[in-house]
Amino acid sequence: YNFTDCDFKKIKESYRNIIYQELNNYTKGTRAIDFDHFVYCEDQADCLRKIQRLTFERRPGCAAPAREAFAARTRATLAAACPGYRGAQINNTQTMKKIRKRQIKTNECLEQVTYLKELWQRLSRIS
Amino acid sequence: ASGKTKPGSASQLQVINFNFEAVQITWNTSAYAGINFTFVYKFDKKEEYRPCSSYILQHGYSAGCLLEVQRDGPLYFSIRNGTQPLLTKNLAISAYLKPRSPGDLSFQWRQEAVTVTCSNLGYNDLQYEIQHKTVFDAVWQSTEAETCNVTVDGLDPEKCYFFRARVKALEFAYGSETYPSDWSEVTHQQRGELRDSCWENSLFPKFIL
Amino acid sequence: ESGYAENGDFDDTELDDYSFSCYSQLEVDGLQHLLTCTFDDSDINSTNLELEICGALLDVYCLNFNKLQERYFLKTKKFLLIGDSKICVKLEKKNMTCRKVNIVKIVKPEAPFDVRVIYREGANDFVVTFNTSHLQKKYVKVLIHEVAYRQEKNENNWMRVNLTSTKLTLLQRKLQPNAMYEIKVRSIPYANYFEGFWSEWSPSFHFRTPETNGTELSL
């Protein structure tokens, strides 16, 4: 999905008022400097592509935070602000049918969500 | 970045991004007495590292580097003992922003309110905080806005007020490890005019001889 | 905003007036939010009427309201707080009327409390302070507060001041000397994401002004 036509002002509003609180809650106590790497994004569309990947795709050590509250809110935000966005591999109704217990917060997930926070912060600063 | 025990770990570092103009990185040298570390850095993954051109010394040994920056972006760096890296890291300099203190405050009075303006710093998601008090107030009272155009209401034009201003980076956009700017100079205002101070005769009109 | 009929086979005139109004209170009980709805027509027979909300919910597609006398309420953490939901009035599982609602646009803050007034003789003013539970919340943190005050004998002559902080100074020279005053506060959301309605008024605070009208400052 090409994110260039999204309503970035609307996305920023949802992020700063809702999604940010969730990400902050999830990563409470961890700091960017605790991890050796960090993820950077150049422009708004680049940021959303990387945000989608880190939010909805499985990675070693972190099945996928797709079942977390911030993922559901990210999906809702992109669906509301990006014309024709159908969402990553799971869409809202499928998630409702396959409700599974929230996964344990592995260190890999903490690292992944910390990078996610940095991408959202960068997107906010350039929007 | 307060300390953990491992000397080479990131938490022994302090990073301050001065208004996206210069970044200061200092490291804790106490664990490595007598060693002169070298600092190399780059702003793009594909670039070659370049040496620090402005070291910060402590007891004659390198304890930090002050480097010029141009924009909000990534920083890749390595602290080495000779050729052996002690710590290699990359980070977003925005996470350690300390905005510049607001300058040239201007005051526009209108009955019981004043609008304080100053020049915006030119990047987003900042909070401009104006504090005011009178000699009767024990503590400052804050009014905040996301541009440097802040209206303070409920004032008594007869009284003399102290004003000061600073800028903070909003956490949702910069994270929780930034620094507020220094406070601006304190300004004194009464009946819509600048005053040198609020303590002398501005207070006791009935005792004027 | 009144409701619209879900399906077309009813003739509008035969329908009862099922229009309803709702407001939300976020983080009203820890992380739990509260959505409250009532029918606009208080004479409606609501015995078999149920309310259901669908859409913009976490992990579930719909949730049913509970009922207490004439009030329908739903306490949950499952509001997505992004995008529109649909609230339907149901009679024996059939939708009588439905309405699009956005939970973050119908927020009614909790009433302010602990209103106090302190007279400062040297400064010839009254410092009004009050508290609000919204200072500790994650979502609806930015409010406009309306302070209303009147001389008790002037029934409807309320003076009003809007502010975003929880401290206000009233000048002694602007009030009548040696008079009893009543003061109270209410709040409304003030950020472009959360919108909604005025809260209830805080309990009132009563104070008497000194005999002098306070024109000279002294430390």
Side-chain angles (χ1 to χ4, degrees):
Chain A
Y1 181 84
N2 177 339
F3 289 98
T4 38
D5 298 334
C6 298
D7 178 343
F8 291 103
K9 188 170 183 299
K10 191 171 186 177
I11 289 173
K12 179 170 181 174
E13 280 305 304
S14 294
Y15 161 67
R16 76 175 280 182
N17 287 285
I18 307 295
I19 296 172
Y20 165 70
Q21 307 293 347
E22 298 288 330
L23 293 173
N24 221 27
N25 227 23
Y26 189 96
T27 59
K28 211 178 286 180
T30 47
R31 297 167 311 153
I33 209 153
D34 293 341
F35 301 107
D36 282 341
H37 306 290
F38 93 112
V39 180
Y40 184 70
C41 49
E42 200 53 53
D43 57 44
Q44 294 163 319
D46 181 35
C47 290
L48 285 182
R49 260 192 310 275
K50 288 174 175 162
I51 284 169
Q52 174 180 259
R53 205 179 312 139
L54 273 185
T55 305
F56 300 110
E57 287 174 12
R58 309 175 66 90
R59 293 175 161 268
C62 181
R67 292 175 203 90
E68 295 296 336
F70 63 77
R73 290 181 161 128
T74 301
R75 184 178 306 112
T77 298
L78 299 179
C82 301
Y85 179 77
R86 299 248 63 72
Q89 74 285 13
I90 337 173
N91 68 35
N92 226 3
T93 355
Q94 274 176 330
T95 322
M96 304 312 161
K97 292 197 191 93
K98 288 180 280 173
I99 305 161
R100 263 180 237 118
K101 226 164 118 324
R102 299 248 180 281
Q103 60 186 349
I104 338 139
K105 207 188 286 183
T106 63
N107 200 47
E108 288 79 2
C109 278
L110 266 179
E111 183 167 3
Q112 185 168 327
V113 177
T114 299
Y115 296 151
L116 203 42
K117 228 167 95 171
E118 285 169 1
L119 290 169
W120 275 110
Q121 286 170 4
R122 167 75 181 166
L123 176 62
S124 179
R125 295 196 303 274
I126 57 176
S127 299
Chain B
S2 60
K4 277 191 193 137
T5 48
K6 195 162 141 257
S9 85
S11 54
Q12 297 288 294
L13 284 179
Q14 186 190 42
V15 183
I16 306 178
N17 163 5
F18 294 105
N19 204 52
F20 289 118
E21 290 153 4
V23 168
Q24 171 184 291
I25 296 182
T26 48
W27 51 85
N28 180 352
T29 56
S30 55
Y32 284 82
I35 297 182
N36 237 341
F37 290 103
T38 52
F39 180 94
V40 292
Y41 68 97
K42 56 186 177 181
F43 296 115
D44 188 319
K45 214 179 268 188
K46 304 181 208 80
E47 272 177 19
E48 286 304 313
Y49 276 121
R50 52 183 116 155
C52 171
S53 56
S54 170
Y55 277 102
I56 297 163
L57 301 181
Q58 201 175 57
H59 315 306
Y61 292 96
S62 64
C65 178
L66 186 64
L67 42 110
E68 266 185 39
V69 292
Q70 250 87 46
R71 68 182 187 104
D72 172 357
L75 172 65
Y76 307 80
F77 65 88
S78 184
I79 302 173
R80 297 175 177 172
N81 177 5
T83 56
Q84 200 230 331
L86 175 74
L87 174 72
T88 299
K89 209 156 177 46
N90 51 45
L91 49 80
I93 61 172
S94 55
Y96 308 97
L97 174 64
K98 175 173 182 173
R100 188 190 330 124
S101 173
D104 342 311
L105 296 180
S106 77
F107 295 81
Q108 193 79 36
W109 282 84
R110 203 183 56 261
Q111 283 123 28
E112 291 164 11
V114 66
T115 296
V116 184
T117 52
C118 63
S119 41
N120 283 317
L121 291 184
Y123 43 90
N124 291 337
D125 298 333
L126 296 174
Q127 184 123 57
Y128 294 83
E129 177 181 14
I130 304 295
Q131 284 197 333
H132 73 275
K133 68 173 184 178
T134 69
V135 293
F136 303 100
D137 298 306
V139 295
W140 294 91
Q141 191 176 330
S142 287
T143 310
E144 291 169 335
E146 293 190 14
T147 61
C148 200
N149 183 313
V150 184
T151 298
V152 185
D153 291 304
L155 302 178
D156 177 0
E158 293 304 312
K159 291 193 175 83
C160 184
Y161 286 89
F162 303 78
F163 289 96
R164 65 180 183 178
R166 73 174 174 179
V167 192
K168 296 182 280 191
L170 286 165
E171 198 172 307
F172 69 82
Y174 292 91
S176 56
E177 295 170 79
T178 60
Y179 305 85
S181 79
D182 297 331
W183 285 104
S184 69
E185 293 269 315
V186 174
T187 312
H188 309 90
Q189 292 265 335
Q190 186 174 22
R191 294 191 200 89
E193 288 158 12
L194 202 57
R195 283 211 165 282
D196 296 337
S197 151
C198 278
W199 289 105
E200 287 95 31
N201 54 19
S202 60
L203 198 62
F204 310 100
K206 63 185 175 195
F207 299 126
I208 294 172
L209 303 177
Chain C
E1 267 183 75
S2 71
Y4 56 84
E6 169 63 7
N7 43 39
D9 42 5
F10 285 106
D11 170 357
D12 270 357
T13 48
E14 294 157 17
L15 280 181
D16 260 341
D17 174 9
Y18 293 112
S19 63
F20 57 91
S21 302
C22 305
Y23 64 84
S24 63
Q25 294 188 296
L26 306 186
E27 298 169 280
V28 71
D29 176 8
L31 297 177
Q32 300 246 43
H33 312 305
L34 182 63
L35 179 59
T36 304
C37 299
T38 48
F39 284 106
D40 297 337
D41 173 6
S42 50
D43 300 330
I44 196 168
N45 175 1
S46 64
T47 318
N48 299 317
L49 293 178
E50 292 171 338
L51 251 58
E52 179 189 56
I53 182 171
C54 300
L57 297 172
L58 274 167
D59 295 341
V60 295
Y61 195 68
C62 296
L63 286 170
N64 288 311
F65 282 67
N66 302 298
K67 189 176 180 205
L68 189 63
Q69 282 118 30
E70 294 314 307
R71 206 168 57 95
Y72 293 80
F73 67 92
L74 172 59
K75 192 181 242 190
T76 180
K77 295 185 209 175
K78 291 189 178 298
F79 294 140
L80 213 50
L81 303 179
I82 294 168
D84 293 328
S85 303
K86 185 168 73 172
I87 296 180
C88 293
V89 176
K90 298 175 95 86
L91 179 59
E92 288 132 18
K93 305 293 179 215
K94 184 181 293 181
N95 284 348
M96 306 312 288
T97 184
C98 292
R99 193 167 111 223
K100 193 166 71 170
V101 160
N102 187 331
I103 300 288
V104 299
K105 304 301 181 189
I106 54 167
V107 174
K108 177 179 179 180
E110 289 153 58
F113 58 93
D114 207 7
V115 181
R116 295 175 194 219
V117 179
I118 296 171
Y119 173 56
R120 299 193 308 182
E121 188 177 4
N124 298 326
D125 61 23
F126 297 84
V127 177
V128 180
T129 56
F130 55 89
N131 204 339
T132 167
S133 57
H134 287 262
L135 292 176
Q136 286 79 40
K137 294 188 191 299
K138 282 193 310 190
Y139 294 118
V140 186
K141 298 181 275 216
V142 182
L143 302 171
I144 276 206
H145 310 291
E146 180 182 62
V147 175
Y149 59 97
R150 68 172 177 181
Q151 212 179 323
E152 279 192 352
K153 65 178 175 139
N154 298 349
E155 201 57 39
N156 279 315
N157 187 11
W158 290 98
M159 276 79 71
R160 295 168 192 273
V161 181
N162 281 354
L163 62 157
T164 50
S165 75
T166 56
K167 180 178 174 185
L168 168 70
T169 306
L170 297 178
L171 304 183
Q172 183 176 353
R173 61 177 181 271
K174 300 255 170 147
L175 303 178
Q176 295 305 314
N178 192 24
M180 269 311 284
Y181 276 82
E182 175 189 3
I183 190 165
K184 59 184 181 180
V185 191
R186 63 179 180 171
S187 312
I188 193 168
Y190 174 57
N192 37 29
Y193 191 80
F194 299 102
E195 298 165 14
F197 315 109
W198 284 106
S199 71
E200 300 304 321
W201 287 103
S202 70
S204 286
F205 184 89
H206 301 264
F207 64 100
R208 174 176 290 278
T209 54
E211 305 209 344
T212 63
N213 70 355
T215 46
E216 286 158 13
L217 303 172
S218 63
L219 251 188

